[in-house]
Amino acid sequence: MTLRKIKKIRFEDICDFIKIIIAFIPGIILKFFYKEIWVIAEKKENARDNGVQFFKYAVKKKNKNVYYAIDLKCNDAKEILKYKKNLIKFGSLRHHIYTWAANSYISSEIDAGLPAPRICSYMIRMGIYGFNNIFLEHGITQNDLKCLYKECSGIDFITTATIKETEFFIDKFGYSSNEVKCTGFARYDCLVKEKRSNKILFMPTWRSEFDTDNNDYEYNKRKFLFSDYYKQIQNYINNEKLIEFLEENDLEFILYLHDKIQPYRNEFKSGSKKIIIPSKEEVNFHDMLINCDYFITDYSSVAFDAAYLKIPIQYFQYDINEFRNHLGEGYFLYEKDGFGPVITNINDSIDNIISSFNGGFNVTAHYKKRRDLFFKYVDRNNCKRINNAINSYEELVKKQNINKGFIVNKICSYFVFCLTILYILSYAFNFVKALAVFNLIYLILIIVPLLREPKKNIYLILLCVAIFTFLI
């Protein structure tokens, strides 16, 4: 472990690791008595995406012991308090216990929905946890994302919204046809367009150049304020033609910033009261989307949701070449497959808004045809399909595990995990006899996984061997 990685270890990480150790035995006992536990989560303070919508459906079905992990004091938690007995405090000891006990851990986020993301994400990839890691997705995947490749994602099963996306996961990211199913998104079951609202929604996505390990806010802010990203958006919301158009027609323009850009929200200012820049705590972006008449983005996957709702779309892409350094190109080409025009400068973008307004904010036939061909399902049965797909996958895994002697292998993995902790404690308190016993058991339990399923357990085995060698 390098000095840099050691410096990244926080006090919270140590506390979380202690919780993980304490929760292990209660979790395994709970798993023994309750075979069918589902833990569902999004981010710590979120209940507004595919996760919570599927949770509501699963609770009503009552065919599993279903729980939702969330910060019980956050605003989103108030919306699901009627499911109180099925709610778990995010990051609590109980959350860790149910994570050990879960048959499937279901989330719309990669790692962020875990009780201790920084530690649990490594444990998943090392094969220590015994649950099926189910990914509901946060948005339709359209770009080449390194974190989604099968060999490094830790994901066991994925539900998608379109056929092209499903094929992308299989052909590009290396998943099998049994590990990816096109079901539609859970949140689409409640996406219904409201009546006209005279609102225009602009949702630009983020840029990797603003990701930094530097915790110096002032330094990061200066870097952001000098970026072309900030200047383009700031110029957009202060464009005189846009402001005049909004005020003449009593329209509202909402600039909703990505979560990673929200810390700089107060740096965006406009000279018009018709232009609103809300914080993520003030609004629910799905409600904003449902209520808007026109949608603008650069590259955000929320455009797919807008297309599903039959809202006219515009792609404002002033930096397409630079953006491809941020995210690699996937199967979706904006000029060829997009649901609206691709525009590269502010004046043309505003002209397009005005033109669409004059046409009653209707989607043109050309883009309507693209939309109709893109989505496989346009109904309210997405949660039902997701539920059936996960159940089918669990049954498939059970059969495969029996054939591979998986149960013996997993028990060995659990024992190795426990012995690692006991070994460290014995070494710390100089229990020589205990160390001798652990030496022998260690050798036996490390050899068994090697013979059973070496590829899946290689990282766990290497870790234990390294600890064993170090302590010897």
Side-chain angles (χ1 to χ4, degrees):
M1 183 180 288
T2 65
L3 182 61
R4 185 180 176 186
K5 288 184 178 180
I6 292 173
K7 286 181 178 179
K8 286 185 177 181
I9 296 175
R10 305 169 183 168
F11 177 73
E12 304 94 87
D13 296 333
I14 298 172
C15 294
D16 286 333
F17 190 65
I18 292 171
K19 286 182 186 178
I20 290 170
I21 295 169
I22 295 172
F24 174 70
I25 293 176
I28 299 305
I29 293 172
L30 184 63
K31 190 182 185 73
F32 180 79
F33 287 102
Y34 297 94
K35 302 295 184 183
E36 304 293 336
I37 292 177
W38 283 359
V39 178
I40 305 175
E42 293 173 6
K43 290 180 180 177
K44 180 179 180 179
E45 299 177 346
N46 282 14
R48 55 179 67 183
D49 206 336
N50 290 318
V52 73
Q53 293 303 326
F54 180 63
F55 164 72
K56 292 175 182 177
Y57 174 87
V59 168
K60 290 177 183 177
K61 288 290 291 182
K62 294 182 179 178
N63 61 341
K64 305 277 181 179
N65 295 297
V66 184
Y67 303 91
Y68 190 85
I70 189 171
D71 180 353
L72 299 176
K73 295 181 180 179
C74 72
N75 291 331
D76 284 11
K78 298 173 184 176
E79 303 297 323
I80 53 174
L81 281 179
K82 68 177 182 178
Y83 303 101
K84 191 173 182 179
K85 67 178 183 178
N86 296 88
L87 299 183
I88 296 174
K89 182 181 178 182
F90 197 102
S92 64
L93 181 61
R94 186 180 178 218
H95 190 184
H96 283 284
I97 291 171
Y98 276 77
T99 299
W100 280 114
N103 189 48
S104 289
Y105 202 100
I106 305 167
S107 181
S108 58
E109 301 285 339
I110 298 177
D111 300 336
L114 295 166
R118 286 163 56 90
I119 300 175
C120 295
S121 59
Y122 285 106
M123 293 178 65
I124 287 175
R125 287 157 181 79
M126 289 163 61
I128 295 176
Y129 283 122
F131 56 69
N132 302 305
N133 190 16
I134 312 293
F135 183 40
L136 300 183
E137 292 200 277
H138 171 64
I140 291 178
T141 300
Q142 57 181 317
N143 296 304
D144 184 2
L145 301 171
K146 292 180 181 179
C147 63
L148 287 176
Y149 280 83
K150 173 66 178 176
E151 63 267 21
C152 62
S153 70
I155 298 169
D156 296 312
F157 184 74
I158 302 168
T159 59
T160 66
T162 74
I163 294 297
K164 282 189 175 182
E165 184 188 20
T166 305
E167 293 171 348
F168 191 53
F169 271 101
I170 295 170
D171 298 336
K172 184 70 176 178
F173 297 130
Y175 296 85
S176 72
S177 58
N178 289 326
E179 296 169 329
V180 188
K181 292 298 176 185
C182 181
T183 59
F185 280 171
R187 67 171 181 260
Y188 284 3
D189 282 351
C190 62
L191 277 188
V192 181
K193 182 73 179 79
E194 302 292 340
K195 61 183 180 180
R196 186 163 170 173
S197 62
N198 288 341
K199 292 180 180 179
I200 299 166
L201 179 59
F202 182 18
M203 289 185 65
T205 192
W206 61 293
R207 301 291 188 277
S208 59
E209 65 185 282
F210 305 130
D211 280 351
T212 177
D213 291 332
N214 191 332
N215 293 320
D216 186 341
Y217 175 77
E218 290 302 320
Y219 169 82
N220 295 334
K221 186 174 78 169
R222 285 195 300 273
K223 180 180 176 183
F224 179 78
L225 294 178
F226 279 103
S227 69
D228 196 31
Y229 178 92
Y230 171 75
K231 292 173 183 176
Q232 285 282 344
I233 296 175
Q234 183 66 9
N235 289 337
Y236 200 114
I237 60 177
N238 284 284
N239 184 278
E240 292 182 4
K241 188 175 183 179
L242 173 65
I243 292 173
E244 183 180 341
F245 166 69
L246 296 174
E247 292 177 351
E248 284 181 357
N249 296 282
D250 194 25
L251 296 171
E252 192 172 87
F253 188 98
I254 302 170
L255 170 62
Y256 186 73
L257 301 169
H258 189 277
D259 279 5
K260 293 188 177 184
I261 307 297
Q262 283 278 333
Y264 308 109
R265 184 178 68 89
N266 292 331
E267 305 303 326
F268 291 96
K269 302 184 188 302
S270 175
S272 172
K273 293 182 180 179
K274 290 293 183 180
I275 296 176
I276 300 169
I277 312 170
S279 69
K280 64 179 182 179
E281 291 79 19
E282 295 173 324
V283 294
N284 182 312
F285 90 84
H286 284 115
D287 291 340
M288 286 192 300
L289 184 63
I290 289 170
N291 290 309
C292 80
D293 292 328
Y294 188 88
F295 181 80
I296 310 166
T297 188
D298 43 11
Y299 314 96
S300 173
S301 64
V302 180
F304 293 108
D305 294 27
Y308 188 89
L309 286 166
K310 304 178 181 179
I311 297 170
I313 296 168
Q314 174 197 140
Y315 300 96
F316 175 55
Q317 299 179 348
Y318 62 89
D319 64 342
I320 183 64
N321 293 327
E322 292 81 0
F323 183 78
R324 281 304 165 212
N325 294 324
H326 164 62
L327 286 177
E329 190 170 74
Y331 64 90
F332 190 86
L333 306 177
Y334 295 98
E335 294 281 3
K336 178 185 174 184
D337 306 310
F339 308 112
V342 176
I343 298 173
T344 58
N345 67 80
I346 294 173
N347 287 328
D348 288 349
S349 175
I350 294 168
D351 285 342
N352 188 265
I353 296 173
I354 295 171
S355 176
S356 184
F357 171 78
N358 292 334
F361 282 135
N362 291 314
V363 180
T364 61
H366 175 61
Y367 297 118
K368 183 179 182 297
K369 184 178 179 180
R370 286 187 184 179
R371 180 197 67 216
D372 293 342
L373 291 172
F374 188 76
F375 292 100
K376 182 178 180 180
Y377 301 110
V378 184
D379 56 29
R380 296 192 182 184
N381 295 315
N382 300 294
C383 285
K384 181 179 179 180
R385 284 188 290 269
I386 292 170
N387 186 68
N388 293 339
I390 295 175
N391 283 328
S392 297
Y393 178 74
E394 287 184 338
E395 288 301 317
L396 178 65
V397 169
K398 284 179 184 177
K399 292 177 182 177
Q400 291 177 340
N401 289 347
I402 291 171
N403 294 335
K404 291 182 179 179
F406 175 84
I407 295 173
V408 174
N409 187 46
K410 186 54 65 177
I411 289 173
C412 289
S413 295
Y414 286 153
F415 268 110
V416 169
F417 178 76
C418 286
L419 283 169
T420 302
I421 304 305
L422 292 172
Y423 204 109
I424 293 171
L425 292 174
S426 297
Y427 181 80
F429 292 100
N430 198 25
F431 294 154
V432 178
K433 291 182 180 180
L435 282 171
V437 174
F438 289 148
N439 285 344
L440 179 62
I441 299 175
Y442 240 115
L443 288 172
I444 295 171
L445 289 177
I446 288 173
I447 289 171
V448 173
L450 273 170
L451 297 175
R452 291 278 183 183
E453 205 172 358
K455 289 184 179 179
K456 184 166 185 176
N457 290 278
I458 188 65
Y459 294 114
L460 175 62
I461 295 163
L462 289 175
L463 172 67
C464 294
V465 170
I467 294 172
F468 176 75
T469 306
F470 172 75
L471 292 177
I472 286 296

